[in-house]
Amino acid sequence: MENVIKSVTATVQNGVAKSDGKLILTTSHINFEPYNKRLGLGPYTFELSHIIKVKKSMAKGAGIFPLSTDAIELTFTDNQMKTFILGNTDEWMKLLTPAG
């Protein structure tokens, strides 16, 4: 079992679809475990080495109306993007931003 560095309640947002769950950062992966697995938004597991960009993002109502700035967007080497709504975005940005 990998060491857990940080864990927080978060929401993954994909367009208008959202799912609450647990975002878990380990020494080599980031995992999202949805509370409701029937929504089809997770679980997700990504290798930290596959993150190429981390930026602040907006939580959006109906997928278009800005609600808050409490979100981060991760871009991966396969050009896939995931947006997570969570607290302490600055801390998560530091933890997830690739070195170099």
Side-chain angles (χ1 to χ4, degrees), residues 1 4-6 10 15 27 32 40 46 54 69 71 74 76-77 85-86 88-89 91 93 95-96 99:
M1 180 88 184
V4 173
I5 296 170
K6 190 158 184 68
T27 51
F32 178 76
F46 302 101
V54 181
T69 57
L74 306 179
F76 299 92
T77 53
I85 304 165
L86 47 85
N88 297 321
T89 54
E91 181 179 358
M93 295 266 307
L95 289 169
L96 296 171

Side-chain angles (χ1 to χ4, degrees), residues 16-86:
V16 298
K18 292 181 184 179
S19 180
D20 295 330
K22 186 70 85 172
L23 191 64
I24 303 162
L25 176 64
T26 69
T27 51
S28 62
H29 292 87
I30 187 158
N31 306 298
F32 178 76
E33 291 290 333
Y35 296 139
N36 184 345
K37 293 179 179 26
R38 292 181 286 170
L39 293 176
L41 294 171
Y44 300 116
T45 298
F46 302 101
E47 290 186 38
L48 294 180
S49 62
H50 291 181
I51 297 173
I52 58 172
K53 185 177 179 183
V54 181
K55 71 176 190 175
K56 285 191 177 184
S57 187
M58 298 287 292
K60 298 175 184 153
I64 51 175
F65 301 108
L67 297 176
S68 78
T69 57
D70 294 333
I72 57 172
E73 181 180 272
L74 306 179
T75 304
F76 299 92
T77 53
D78 63 359
N79 290 320
Q80 185 176 179
M81 292 185 287
K82 293 289 179 205
T83 300
F84 296 99
I85 304 165
L86 47 85

